[in-house]
Amino acid sequence: MAQSLDSDVDVLGRIRFFEGFSPEHLKLIAFSAESRSLPEKLLLFDEGQLLHSAYVIVSGTLRAEHKVKGTEKPVRREIGGGV
């Protein structure tokens, strides 16, 4: 395995969602993953949009907003690395 693949497997192995996955499964996921650096305030997707991918935050934070019916202000949550 290449060093970056080892590093990606290590990152995935520390995320609660992937608990119980074998190292081989994590390697397959890491191999097919794409690392991206994203600019601030980039809209990744809209609430309710159908997606065919997932994001793992390695560093930095993501702001998620949920629009609550009958209110003006959306509920906001900051999500940090490893989620």
Side-chain angles (χ1 to χ4, degrees):
M1 265 192 307
Q3 183 60 32
S4 66
L5 187 57
D6 285 334
S7 176
D8 291 348
V9 168
D10 183 55
V11 166
L12 293 173
R14 289 185 271 134
I15 297 172
R16 184 175 38 207
F17 178 83
F18 295 109
E19 285 178 6
F21 282 55
S22 72
E24 292 79 20
H25 288 135
L26 294 176
K27 181 180 174 184
L28 287 171
I29 294 168
F31 183 75
S32 63
E34 175 184 327
S35 294
R36 297 177 65 189
S37 293
L38 303 173
E40 287 189 36
K41 298 185 180 185
L42 173 71
L43 177 63
L44 293 176
F45 56 88
D46 283 316
E47 183 175 355
Q49 182 179 355
L50 181 62
L51 301 174
H52 298 285
S53 60
Y55 292 91
V56 172
I57 303 166
V58 176
S59 65
T61 58
L62 176 87
R63 184 176 73 201
E65 295 184 355
H66 171 64
K67 295 174 184 154
V68 179
K69 200 175 202 176
T71 64
E72 287 185 29
K73 264 183 132 176
V75 175
R76 291 185 173 137
R77 180 171 178 221
E78 296 285 325
I79 303 166
V83 177

